[in-house]
Amino acid sequence: MEELQIIGGSKLEGDVSISGAKNAALPILCAGLLTSETILLTNVPDLHDVSTTIKLLSQLGSVTRKHGQNEVSITSNNIENLKAPYELVKAMRASILVLGPLLTRFGEAIVSMPGGCAIGQRPVDQHIKCLSALGADIKIEHGFVIARAKKLKGTLIRPDVITVTGTENIIMAATLAEGETIIENAACEPEIVDLSNMLIKMGANIKGHGTNRIIIKGVDKLHGTSHRILPDRIEAGTFLCALAATGGNIRIKDANPYNMLATIDKIRLSGVNVKQDNGNLICSMSKRPESVDVITREYPGLATDMQAQFMALNCIARGTSIIVENIFENRYLHVQELNRLGANITINGNSATVHGVDFLSGATVKATDLRASASLVIAGLVAQGKTTIEQIYHLDRGYENMELKLQKLGANIKRATNRNDE
């Protein structure tokens, strides 16, 4: 099994380019099921989750082709299988996003209950509730969600909680439903806007995306298109936190700062100088960071996907910070590993108190989920001595060539094979 080995103490200097957003690419890939024509996607991040989604689409019958590292075409004109198997779905919760497209276009979908990072329950009950409101007959048998509908019909839908993948599934299902669908209490994330913009290019009638009230008028069919995936705001935010921890000067290219204002505002409080320049972020840090309190909220609040990175920053910051996790109930798995490096973190329910320490000490730690991996990388970059991060397959689910990008910025980091593996 592969691991990352980091020798801490280097400042970050230079340019880093941000990849396409994982959380936009996955639903957009699944949207290829909505038409028999070809969609061509560019700026697709080269990630394990993307590869898993492409395998799933291929197993359903889509013809998927990679044209270079970051370009993918999907043609779904011969879908022969409406069942998403456990073997693929278990590794990635976003696989539930094939449910809406299959159901609305083919009248049936059988999708295994999903897996993914162990950061909370993240049930699919809202997906089931909302698709049922559109007229689907849904039941769960033997670990599968089985949905059928001759024709979905538009209606007013209000999820009990704000759900990103739930909103995406409803939007995709409603594009080919009969009549008008109104989603109240919709998620507003930029990735939902990106999905909606591509669907509109395909002929969908969608208004209000990016707000908590989205209106979709169903159409008879959708056609092919080309679309460029928006930049990954979480990756950009991760590099901001890394700079805040290590110090230095970097330019974050292709960041789309307007989608990550909450992160930029918070990172400035830590002491980072951030300037915007035509979609790039010019950033510098020349002192020990200040502690910053963090409360995760739905967009436009600070993303839960940034919580672990800010915690790593706070570990070596001046003062004490309070972190409140409001989205997932089990997203503090990285605390134990950060404490192994010498951090001083205590947990009380959904709150964590981080007392900044003067330094961290390198050790062997295990990544427990995707964003926890990023927090351990940041901690390793500032820790004294060598830090080894095991189970980095989590990192590869959401970060494209992270160690190579950090190497170009001057970090002493490399990928290696754990020789103790049998």
Side-chain angles (χ1 to χ4, degrees):
M1 188 175 293
E2 290 184 320
E3 63 187 25
L4 285 181
Q5 299 174 356
I6 307 171
I7 305 297
S10 299
K11 293 185 177 181
L12 300 183
E13 304 282 349
D15 292 356
V16 60
S17 296
I18 299 303
S19 300
K22 173 184 85 83
N23 290 338
L26 302 185
I28 284 174
L29 285 164
C30 294
L33 293 167
L34 289 166
T35 178
S36 62
E37 299 181 16
T38 299
I39 64 169
L40 177 64
L41 304 176
T42 58
N43 202 34
V44 180
D46 187 15
L47 303 171
H48 188 268
D49 275 11
V50 168
S51 297
T52 299
T53 303
I54 290 172
K55 288 179 183 177
L56 175 57
L57 294 175
S58 298
Q59 187 152 333
L60 294 173
S62 299
V63 176
T64 59
R65 293 189 175 93
K66 295 191 71 174
H67 310 272
Q69 186 176 9
N70 300 111
E71 191 170 307
V72 176
S73 65
I74 303 168
T75 307
S76 302
N77 63 344
N78 190 26
I79 299 298
E80 300 174 344
N81 177 25
L82 301 177
K83 184 175 182 178
Y86 173 74
E87 289 72 23
L88 291 174
V89 177
K90 68 178 180 180
M92 187 183 64
R93 183 177 184 271
S95 301
I96 196 68
L97 288 167
V98 302
L99 181 61
L102 288 176
L103 178 62
T104 195
R105 184 175 165 207
F106 300 102
E108 182 178 348
I110 304 172
V111 181
S112 174
M113 295 289 285
C117 286
I119 58 175
Q121 296 182 27
R122 303 197 292 180
V124 298
D125 61 314
Q126 296 304 303
H127 300 251
I128 294 172
K129 171 190 172 180
C130 296
L131 291 173
S132 296
L134 290 171
D137 178 24
I138 303 179
K139 55 187 176 181
I140 298 177
E141 290 183 354
H142 307 296
F144 284 88
V145 178
I146 302 172
R148 294 183 175 89
K150 290 184 178 179
K151 182 68 175 178
L152 296 180
K153 295 185 178 181
T155 187
L156 174 64
I157 294 175
R158 181 180 176 85
D160 298 325
V161 296
I162 296 175
T163 162
V164 175
T165 54
T167 299
E168 291 164 343
N169 239 338
I170 303 163
I171 290 173
M172 289 189 284
T175 57
L176 296 177
E178 182 181 300
E180 181 178 87
T181 299
I182 299 175
I183 309 173
E184 300 277 6
N185 202 32
C188 305
E189 272 70 4
E191 294 78 16
I192 290 176
V193 175
D194 204 35
L195 169 66
S196 299
N197 286 339
M198 190 196 73
L199 291 171
I200 290 169
K201 290 184 199 177
M202 295 170 65
N205 187 336
I206 305 172
K207 295 181 180 179
H209 43 300
T211 76
N212 59 11
R213 188 174 192 267
I214 304 175
I215 302 173
I216 308 107
K217 293 183 179 179
V219 297
D220 291 335
K221 64 181 297 186
L222 298 176
H223 53 73
T225 191
S226 61
H227 184 76
R228 180 177 176 82
I229 307 293
L230 90 168
D232 195 321
R233 60 193 172 100
I234 305 302
E235 183 191 17
T238 299
F239 278 102
L240 278 176
C241 287
L243 175 71
T246 65
N249 300 273
I250 64 174
R251 178 171 65 162
I252 302 177
K253 301 170 65 176
D254 306 319
N256 198 342
Y258 298 103
N259 286 339
M260 49 183 296
L261 294 178
T263 295
I264 293 173
D265 288 346
K266 191 65 67 173
I267 209 70
R268 281 174 170 155
L269 293 177
S270 76
V272 178
N273 184 283
V274 182
K275 296 180 180 179
Q276 300 182 27
D277 178 30
N278 295 322
N280 302 322
L281 295 175
I282 312 299
C283 315
S284 62
M285 185 65 166
S286 58
K287 60 181 182 179
R288 182 180 177 184
E290 300 292 333
S291 292
V292 291
D293 292 335
V294 168
I295 301 176
T296 63
R297 301 188 188 281
E298 293 86 358
Y299 189 85
L302 189 71
T304 179
D305 280 356
M306 286 302 306
Q307 176 256 106
Q309 297 91 310
F310 272 102
M311 181 178 285
L313 163 61
N314 282 332
C315 287
I316 48 86
R318 191 190 313 274
T320 297
S321 59
I322 304 296
I323 295 177
V324 181
E325 174 56 60
N326 287 315
I327 307 302
F328 294 123
E329 75 280 358
N330 195 30
R331 203 163 200 176
Y332 286 140
L333 298 176
H334 45 283
V335 169
Q336 179 178 346
E337 302 304 307
L338 290 171
N339 282 342
R340 279 179 53 79
L341 297 173
N344 184 352
I345 309 169
T346 57
I347 303 174
N348 183 14
N350 69 328
S351 296
T353 302
V354 186
H355 301 281
V357 297
D358 292 335
F359 62 91
L360 299 176
S361 299
T364 297
V365 291
K366 290 184 178 181
T368 54
D369 61 70
L370 170 54
R371 306 307 172 184
S373 307
S375 75
L376 295 177
V377 170
I378 294 170
L381 291 173
V382 296
Q384 296 179 359
K386 180 180 177 181
T387 298
T388 300
I389 305 175
E390 299 179 343
Q391 298 181 172
I392 60 169
Y393 59 86
H394 288 294
L395 189 77
D396 294 335
R397 291 186 52 230
Y399 290 93
E400 182 178 34
N401 300 323
M402 189 179 200
E403 75 278 9
L404 298 181
K405 292 182 179 183
L406 286 169
Q407 286 172 9
K408 291 180 180 179
L409 294 175
N412 189 339
I413 180 174
K414 66 178 181 179
R415 182 176 294 245
T417 300
N418 187 336
R419 295 180 179 178
N420 293 326
D421 288 343
E422 297 181 354

